[in-house]
């Protein structure tokens, strides 16, 4: 998939003699924060102040990690405060690019042709994978943060004094439970599909795929009793799970061999996914075309022909039937079933 080494782009990632059969996700490199007044982040991180039109978000509509930041930007009403660019869904020899295609939004900041040019600008000696999302600081001319979980929390609170929607997806009283759920879902589901799809041995695949479906079984049972992952209140934990669920039947079942069951075979998970998809603004962040094109066309070691399958046909606007479960009223629930 390519990577940068000492600031230079390499179209093929070097193969280590100690490479594991189990997929290993690299840690994000840029971890500064944004706060309302520029004071330190929640764990003492260096931070910049929230300002309108200072920050720019780079995403892929195909990538689940980038997708969750795009959803948070939409839900919090940050569209006029934080601009956005969208990369081409196909990742080739240059990694993520801005090559023109339907849905691509070019880079207005540096007029970059490739995302790796932004990483080189931020750190001329950068070594690592070139990933989305990227939150760029236009004033300082550098990457502020490229960790999706942290960007979600930045968007959740940093811009409230600038007119962001009054909506708290990480309330303090639920934060411990949210963090616990996030850790489990990340390991077994969000990253679990990748551990199955990119496994290099039967044993690694078997371990990952059974952990994934054990987790989905548990989530199905949990959501049979309550509306959302923490109970009656919609939180960031739900959106972190959603971006994997919306991709599950179109991509992960076939392309990543996560085929013990389809998502639609889980009635509670399926209907929960439908409810989240149907919340105001969310559908506009979902591009099944970009999702399927990226996975099936970019991972040639898994799909050598690059043929993108026609299906499955999904009815994402059908009734979700979860109205009988209690919910804490909020702006996203107005007018929903």
């Amino acid at each position: 998939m390519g990577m940068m080494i000492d600031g230079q782009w390499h179209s093929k990632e070097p193969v280590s003699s100690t490479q594991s059969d189990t997929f290993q996700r690299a840690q994000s490199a840029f971890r500064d924060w944004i706060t309302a007044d520029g004071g330190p982040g929640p764990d003492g991180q260096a931070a910049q102040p929230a300002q309108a039109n200072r920050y720019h978000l780079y995403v892929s509509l195909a990538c689940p990690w980038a997708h969750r930041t795009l959803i948070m930007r939409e839900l919090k009403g940050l569209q006029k405060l934080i601009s956005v660019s969208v990369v081409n869904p196909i990742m080739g020899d240059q990694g993520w690019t801005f090559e023109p295609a339907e849905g691509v939004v070019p880079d207005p900041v540096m007029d970059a042709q490739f995302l790796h040019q932004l990483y080189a600008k931020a750190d001329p000696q950068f070594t690592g994978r070139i990933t989305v999302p990227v939150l760029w600081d236009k004033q300082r001319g550098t990457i502020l943060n490229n960790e999706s979980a942290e960007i979600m929390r930045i968007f959740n609170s940093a811009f409230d004094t600038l007119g962001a929607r009054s909506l708290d997806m990480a309330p303090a009283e639920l934060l411990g439970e949210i963090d616990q759920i996030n850790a489990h879902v990340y390991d077994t589901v969000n990253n679990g599909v990748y551990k199955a799809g990119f496994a290099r041995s039967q044993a690694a695949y078997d371990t990952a795929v059974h952990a994934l479906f054990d987790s989905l079984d548990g989530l199905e049972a949990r959501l049979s009793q309550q509306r959302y992952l923490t109970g009656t209140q919609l939180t960031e934990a739900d959106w972190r799970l959603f971006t994997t669920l919306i991709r599950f039947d179109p991509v992960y079942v076939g392309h990543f061999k996560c085929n013990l069951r389809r998502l639609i075979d889980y009635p509670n998970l399926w209907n929960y996914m439908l409810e989240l998809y149907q919340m105001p603004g969310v559908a506009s962040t979902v591009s099944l075309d970009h999702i399927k094109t990226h996975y099936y066309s970019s991972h040639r070691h898994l799909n050598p022909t690059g043929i993108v399958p026609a299906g499955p046909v999904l009815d994402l606007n059908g009734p979700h039937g979860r109205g009988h479960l209690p919910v804490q009223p909020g702006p996203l629930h107005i007018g929903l079933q």
Side-chain angles (χ1 to χ4, degrees):
M1 294 185 185
M3 67 179 294
M4 289 189 77
I5 301 174
D6 297 328
Q8 299 298 313
W9 173 254
H10 295 257
S11 61
K12 295 187 182 299
E13 184 175 340
V15 177
S16 169
S17 60
T18 60
Q19 194 170 43
S20 169
D21 287 344
T22 302
F23 173 69
Q24 305 290 325
R25 185 170 297 281
Q27 294 293 312
S28 300
F30 299 89
R31 309 295 287 272
D32 283 0
W33 211 264
I34 301 172
T35 56
D37 60 1
D43 295 320
Q45 303 98 321
Q48 299 297 319
Q51 296 174 349
N53 302 313
R54 174 173 171 175
Y55 304 101
H56 188 78
L57 181 66
Y58 295 89
V59 300
S60 162
L61 300 181
C63 170
W65 318 99
H67 188 187
R68 57 199 197 182
T69 67
L70 197 60
I71 289 174
M72 189 66 80
R73 173 180 175 268
E74 183 74 28
L75 297 181
K76 289 290 294 186
L78 300 175
Q79 299 92 325
K80 293 183 179 179
L81 298 176
I82 301 170
S83 50
V84 68
S85 288
V86 178
V87 297
N88 191 289
I90 298 177
M91 182 187 288
D93 287 344
Q94 291 290 336
W96 294 115
T97 79
F98 295 96
E99 183 177 349
E102 185 174 354
V104 172
V105 179
D107 171 31
V109 178
M110 289 180 49
D111 194 29
Q113 303 304 300
F114 314 115
L115 193 66
H116 64 72
Q117 292 171 319
L118 295 168
Y119 277 76
K121 167 68 174 174
D123 179 0
Q125 299 302 314
F126 180 76
T127 294
R129 294 178 179 145
I130 305 304
T131 62
V132 284
V134 167
L135 187 58
W136 184 268
D137 183 341
K138 292 188 280 188
Q139 181 173 304
R140 296 187 302 143
T142 191
I143 296 173
L144 183 128
N145 196 297
N146 70 334
E147 170 49 58
S148 64
E150 294 178 357
I151 295 173
M152 287 185 79
R153 293 215 173 156
I154 289 169
F155 287 177
N156 183 60
S157 61
F159 295 86
D160 286 2
T161 59
L162 296 180
R165 185 174 290 127
S166 179
L167 189 70
D168 189 359
M169 290 291 176
E173 66 274 14
L174 293 176
L175 206 52
E177 185 178 7
I178 289 171
D179 287 343
Q180 185 177 33
I181 292 169
N182 284 345
H184 173 72
V185 168
Y186 168 80
D187 183 51
T188 59
V189 181
N190 300 144
N191 205 38
V193 294
Y194 284 86
K195 288 193 283 188
F198 291 154
R200 298 184 182 90
S201 71
Q202 187 69 49
Y205 165 78
D206 289 342
T207 297
V209 80
H210 288 292
L212 165 64
F213 280 93
D214 286 347
S215 186
L216 291 177
D217 291 345
L219 292 166
E220 171 74 5
R222 186 186 190 104
L223 291 168
S224 71
Q225 302 296 320
Q226 59 193 53
R227 191 73 169 255
Y228 305 119
L229 291 179
T230 63
T232 61
Q233 187 167 351
L234 184 68
T235 71
E236 70 168 39
D238 298 293
W239 298 113
R240 286 174 54 140
L241 176 59
F242 170 79
T243 59
T244 297
L245 299 185
I246 193 71
R247 288 161 173 76
F248 203 85
D249 286 5
V251 171
Y252 300 143
V253 168
H255 188 56
F256 278 178
K257 306 180 183 69
C258 298
N259 59 1
L260 289 181
R261 285 173 290 282
R262 301 166 302 167
L263 187 70
I264 202 169
D265 297 325
Y266 288 100
N268 293 296
L269 276 169
W270 177 260
N271 287 319
Y272 162 83
M273 184 270 290
L274 291 184
E275 181 186 3
L276 297 185
Y277 175 83
Q278 292 168 20
M279 289 189 174
V282 175
S284 68
T285 71
V286 176
S287 172
L288 291 178
D289 178 62
H290 271 230
I291 289 168
K292 290 167 59 176
T293 298
H294 166 67
Y295 283 94
Y296 284 101
S297 298
S298 302
H299 302 155
R300 290 303 181 98
H301 61 299
L302 299 181
N303 185 37
T305 64
I307 294 172
V308 180
V313 176
L314 305 177
D315 181 9
L316 297 176
N317 293 303
H320 59 71
R322 293 184 63 77
H324 66 288
L325 293 168
V327 62
Q328 181 171 312
L332 293 180
H333 296 92
I334 296 172
L336 293 183
Q337 311 170 46

